Amino acid sequence: MKTKSLPLYVCLASFSAPAIPLSAQQPALPRFENGEAQVVEAFAKDWIQHDLWVEAPFDSDGDGKQDRMHVAVTRPAQTDSEKLKVPVIYQSSPYYAGMGSNDPKHMWNPKQQIGTEPPKHEDAPEIDQQSLRPVLSRDHLKEWVPRGFAVVHSSSPGTGLSQGCPTVGGDNESLAPKAVIDWLNGRAKGYTTPDGDEEVKAYWSTGKVGMTGTSYNGTLALAAATTGVEGLEAIIPVAPNTSYYHYYRSNGLVRHPGGYIGEDIDVLYDFINSGNPDRRDYCNCEVRDKGMLKEFDRKDGNYNAFWKERDYLHELGPMKAAMLMAHAFNDWNVMPEHSIRIYEAVKAKGLPTQLFMHQGGHGGQPPVSQMNRWFTRYLYNIPNDVEKDPPVRIVREGKPRDEPESYANYPHPDSKPVSFRLEKGGISSGALVRNDRNANGNPIVPIVSQGKETLIDNFSFPGSALAQAEWSNHRLLYSTKPLEKEVHISGTPRIRLRVASNKPSACLSVWLVALPWTGSKRITDDVITRGWADPKNAKSLENEEPLVPGEFRTVEFHLQPEDQIIPAGESIGLMLFASDRDFTLWQEPGTELSIDLDQSELILPIVSSLE
C-alpha cells in the first residue's frame, strides 16, 4: 500500500552554467592528476538532490516495524543524463535536525560527593521536530561533488525524520549507516516515504563508499566500519568519540568534557532527541531512564557492561576499511586518547592506517589534498601510492594546519620513557628531577628521602589560578630547571603516585604545564597535558576499594597523549591537586591528599634528551 505522505523530493540545483545542447556535449568523466580527483566543470554545474528512507534491520522504537533512516543524496546531474556511476562520500549525524539545551539547569550539578547518588537535573525542553528536505546538510558538497563523487547524508536513529531511538553508542548507531551503505550497494531497500512501499534504487552508485565527519559524525564513521560492511572502503574520522566511558569518566572518576561541565550521557541523549514526537515517551523510558540513568553509575564512576557496549575498541574485529585518523593534541572536549587508542589497534590489525594530528582544539580535518588522495585511491581505485605516504603527519606548534611534518610513527620512533622524581617544596615549587639509573638499576644521583607533602582540596580555584600561584596549599607543584634546549615530548605520559587521603574518597587531578604560566590565548602555551583518576579505582576500573584515611596506596595512570616541543628557557611543571573545577566533580572543600614523594614518579616520553 502506497502512501501520499512525505513524497520523494527531487530538485536539480543549478549553478548558473551556460546552456549547452546535449548533442554538443562530450561525456563528463572524472579526471585525476597527481593521484587526486580534479574538479570537473560539468560536475560543478548541476546537481541532483533528493531524499529517501532506508530500512534498517532493527526496531529500536518499539512500534513493531523496522526503523527507516532519512537519507539525503546530492550527485552530479550526469548520473542521470549520462548514466554515470560514481562513488560516495557519506556522513551520518544526530545534529542535522536541531539540538537541545545547553542550559546548566539541564545538566548535572558538579557539587556532588563521590559515592553519593546525585539529585536529578531538570528535564530539558523537547526539541521541535524539523523536516529538512531534500537537503539535510551542505557539508562536503563543494569539496566532493565537483570532483566526481556523490555526497550522502543521513540522520542517525531517533533524530530528525529518521525513525527509532537515539542510543548514544548503542548498536543501532552502527547498523543504521551500515544499512545506508547496503542500500548504496543494492542490498537494502530504500523508499520514497517513511511508511510507504515505493522503492528507490541507488542505480547511480558504484557501491564504493568513504565516510568522514567530525566529533559525533566521526564516531558514526568508525561505528559503521566496525560492522565490516562490504563497500565501505575508507573512513576519515575527525576527533571521534571512540568510548563513551572515556568521554564521561576517567580512571574511575566522573569527569566532564571540557566546556560542558555537568554533561553526562543522558544529557547528550536529550540534546539529540529530535525524532518522532510520538515515540519519544517510549525512547525516554526504555533507553534513557531504564538504560542510561540506571546503568551509567554517576555515583561511583566505575566501568561496567553499559560502558563496554559503547567502547568501539572492543568492536574492531570485523573492520576492513582503510583509516585516516585525525585529531588534535589540545582537544579537551573529545580528548586525543580517543583517536590514539583506535589508531594503534587498527594499525595492529594490519589495515591501511595513517594518522594526522594537529596542535589545535576540537575538530580540524586533514588537508583536503590528503583526504583526496585517500578517497581517490580507495573509492576510484586509482593507484596513487597513498599507502606509501608518511604514516604520521603532525602539525607543529604555530604552523598552519595544511603544513604538517612527516614522521615514521607515533609516538616518534626515537621517543623513550624518562623518569622524574619529585623533591619537596611543592606548596610553592618543588623540583622535578631526572631520575637516571645505572645498568644495575640504582640511581646515578643518590636519592635523599623527601617524605610526604599534603594539599587541601578546594574547587573554588581553577587549575590556571593554581599554576600561577606563588604559594598555595591547594596544589603541589614540581618543576624542572629552565630547559637549556628544547625538549620534544612524544607519546603518552604516565604518573605513579603514592597517595593517602583523610577521607574515604577524593578526586585526583594532574596537569603537566609549561612554566612560567603566560595566560596566552595560544592553545599550545601553558597546559601540556592532563589526567584524572579516582584513587579508589587504583586496582580496577570495575571495582573500587574505599580509601582508608591515612593509609597510602599506589595510583598509576596515563595522562592524555601528547606531541609537543617545549622551547628552551621554559620549565616543565607537574601540578597535583584534587577537584578540577573545569573537569571533575566539585568535592566539598577540605579533603587532604598526601603524596609520598619517595614512592612517586612522572614518566615522560621524550625524543630529545633533557640534560
Side-chain angles (χ1 to χ4, degrees):
M1 180 177 177
K2 297 181 180 180
T3 179
K4 294 183 178 179
S5 64
L6 292 173
L8 175 72
Y9 282 8
V10 180
C11 69
L12 185 66
S14 178
F15 298 91
S16 302
I20 302 174
L22 289 177
S23 59
Q25 293 183 20
Q26 295 296 319
L29 296 173
R31 184 167 57 87
F32 306 93
E33 292 181 7
N34 300 318
E36 297 181 21
Q38 301 297 300
V39 172
V40 175
E41 184 179 358
F43 296 159
K45 293 176 180 177
D46 297 311
W47 299 342
I48 295 171
Q49 296 180 305
H50 60 96
D51 63 348
L52 66 142
W53 280 260
V54 169
E55 189 167 274
F58 53 79
D59 170 22
S60 61
D61 60 8
D63 64 356
K65 298 179 291 185
Q66 301 292 81
D67 296 339
R68 294 185 181 183
M69 301 301 108
H70 187 212
V71 178
V73 176
T74 299
R75 50 191 171 92
Q78 291 76 12
T79 53
D80 274 1
S81 64
E82 300 174 14
K83 310 302 182 186
L84 178 70
K85 288 193 173 186
V86 295
V88 174
I89 307 297
Y90 172 33
Q91 178 176 278
S92 187
S93 176
Y95 297 138
Y96 294 145
M99 293 169 277
S101 170
N102 269 329
D103 192 308
K105 67 183 180 182
H106 302 132
M107 299 193 182
W108 295 90
N109 188 338
K111 292 181 179 179
Q112 174 198 331
Q113 301 307 297
I114 297 173
T116 65
E117 291 288 353
K120 178 73 164 57
H121 55 77
E122 292 185 25
D123 291 334
E126 289 199 356
I127 304 170
D128 293 333
Q129 189 180 33
Q130 300 181 30
S131 178
L132 299 178
R133 306 189 61 202
V135 179
L136 273 173
S137 170
R138 300 193 180 277
D139 287 354
H140 307 295
L141 299 186
K142 291 182 178 180
E143 294 96 336
W144 302 113
V145 181
R147 289 180 165 89
F149 299 86
V151 173
V152 168
H153 299 94
S154 71
S155 289
S156 59
T159 70
L161 297 180
S162 284
Q163 297 172 344
C165 295
T167 57
V168 192
D171 286 345
N172 67 342
E173 289 191 354
S174 300
L175 295 175
K178 176 184 182 297
V180 174
I181 295 167
D182 282 335
W183 173 73
L184 291 165
N185 281 274
R187 298 187 297 265
K189 291 185 177 182
Y191 298 92
T192 59
T193 63
D195 52 4
D197 59 6
E198 183 179 347
E199 290 192 30
V200 181
K201 303 286 188 181
Y203 55 84
W204 45 265
S205 169
T206 65
K208 289 186 177 293
V209 181
M211 290 190 72
T212 189
T214 297
S215 198
Y216 208 138
N217 305 353
T219 300
L220 296 178
L222 177 64
T226 63
T227 69
V229 58
E230 294 289 340
L232 181 56
E233 305 296 331
I235 61 171
I236 305 180
V238 181
N241 180 341
T242 66
S243 163
Y244 284 92
Y245 183 85
H246 289 76
Y247 190 60
Y248 291 118
R249 307 288 185 266
S250 190
N251 299 299
L253 191 66
V254 174
R255 178 188 51 72
H256 309 115
Y260 300 94
I261 197 75
E263 184 184 321
D264 211 322
I265 193 167
D266 68 302
V267 176
L268 182 54
Y269 168 93
D270 289 338
F271 188 72
I272 65 172
N273 189 16
S274 62
N276 183 0
D278 293 339
R279 303 307 302 163
R280 289 188 194 177
D281 284 348
Y282 175 90
C283 294
N284 292 345
C285 177
E286 297 298 323
V287 175
R288 185 190 63 193
D289 300 344
K290 291 183 179 179
M292 295 174 178
L293 292 177
K294 285 192 174 181
E295 302 294 335
F296 72 160
D297 188 12
R298 192 169 174 85
K299 172 176 171 283
D300 294 308
N302 294 334
Y303 190 74
N304 57 27
F306 171 84
W307 294 113
K308 185 176 181 179
E309 291 170 0
R310 289 163 169 79
D311 186 344
Y312 293 102
L313 186 66
H314 304 300
E315 307 294 332
L316 295 176
M319 182 173 169
K320 295 177 287 188
M323 184 184 75
L324 169 58
M325 180 66 84
H327 215 120
F329 285 115
N330 296 288
D331 185 347
W332 299 112
N333 178 358
V334 182
M335 299 185 191
E337 66 180 341
H338 284 269
S339 286
I340 297 302
R341 62 201 294 270
I342 298 297
Y343 162 74
E344 291 174 342
V346 173
K347 184 174 64 172
K349 280 175 60 68
L351 295 175
T353 308
Q354 291 177 13
L355 180 67
F356 173 84
M357 300 292 293
H358 63 90
Q359 304 293 338
H362 188 50
Q365 68 180 23
V368 171
S369 61
Q370 186 178 4
M371 298 176 70
N372 193 333
R373 285 178 57 78
W374 270 72
F375 288 146
T376 295
R377 168 65 182 87
Y378 293 106
L379 305 192
Y380 267 111
N381 201 29
I382 300 297
N384 59 9
D385 288 333
V386 72
E387 303 94 329
K388 298 178 182 178
D389 285 355
V392 175
R393 289 182 171 96
I394 298 175
V395 180
R396 294 264 52 101
E397 299 77 3
K399 297 293 185 180
R401 196 172 297 163
D402 59 354
E403 296 180 10
E405 295 188 13
S406 299
Y407 295 91
N409 203 352
Y410 178 81
H412 192 291
D414 295 331
S415 178
K416 294 179 174 57
V418 177
S419 173
F420 293 83
R421 66 177 185 268
L422 288 56
E423 295 193 347
K424 61 185 177 183
I427 216 164
S428 53
S429 182
L432 190 62
V433 181
R434 185 161 172 163
N435 201 19
D436 290 326
R437 296 177 180 271
N438 59 27
N440 296 322
N442 298 316
I444 294 176
V445 178
I447 297 176
V448 178
S449 178
Q450 301 294 310
K452 69 175 184 179
E453 295 195 323
T454 300
L455 63 91
I456 302 173
D457 190 6
N458 192 336
F459 70 83
S460 302
F461 299 93
S464 57
L466 295 175
Q468 296 176 72
E470 293 185 12
W471 185 99
S472 175
N473 60 359
H474 302 308
R475 58 94 175 114
L476 297 173
L477 179 64
Y478 307 91
S479 64
T480 66
K481 294 179 180 179
L483 303 177
E484 295 183 1
K485 60 182 180 179
E486 67 181 26
V487 171
H488 185 176
I489 298 173
S490 180
T492 303
R494 183 161 48 93
I495 187 78
R496 182 173 64 85
L497 298 171
R498 189 75 173 161
V499 180
S501 171
N502 68 337
K503 293 185 180 179
S505 61
C507 297
L508 177 57
S509 301
V510 177
W511 285 18
L512 196 67
V513 296
L515 298 173
W517 189 278
T518 66
S520 169
K521 292 183 179 180
R522 198 168 77 162
I523 199 167
T524 53
D525 293 342
D526 298 331
V527 174
I528 300 173
T529 189
R530 297 172 164 118
W532 305 265
D534 184 343
K536 292 191 297 185
N537 292 89
K539 293 183 179 179
S540 168
L541 293 181
E542 293 86 359
N543 301 295
E544 58 184 35
E545 296 180 11
L547 300 175
V548 177
E551 184 177 293
F552 281 87
R553 68 175 55 176
T554 299
V555 182
E556 186 169 355
F557 58 96
H558 290 105
L559 309 185
Q560 288 298 313
E562 185 54 89
D563 195 292
Q564 187 169 334
I565 296 173
I566 313 302
E570 295 187 1
S571 297
I572 297 173
L574 173 67
M575 185 170 72
L576 311 176
F577 58 120
S579 298
D580 186 333
R581 184 176 180 84
D582 297 322
F583 293 96
T584 71
L585 297 176
W586 300 354
Q587 301 300 281
E588 183 176 333
T591 299
E592 295 181 3
L593 278 182
S594 296
I595 309 295
D596 182 345
L597 302 182
D598 297 333
Q599 300 298 318
S600 299
E601 68 174 335
L602 170 69
I603 300 171
L604 291 182
I606 291 179
V607 178
S608 49
S609 62
L610 188 152
E611 302 297 342

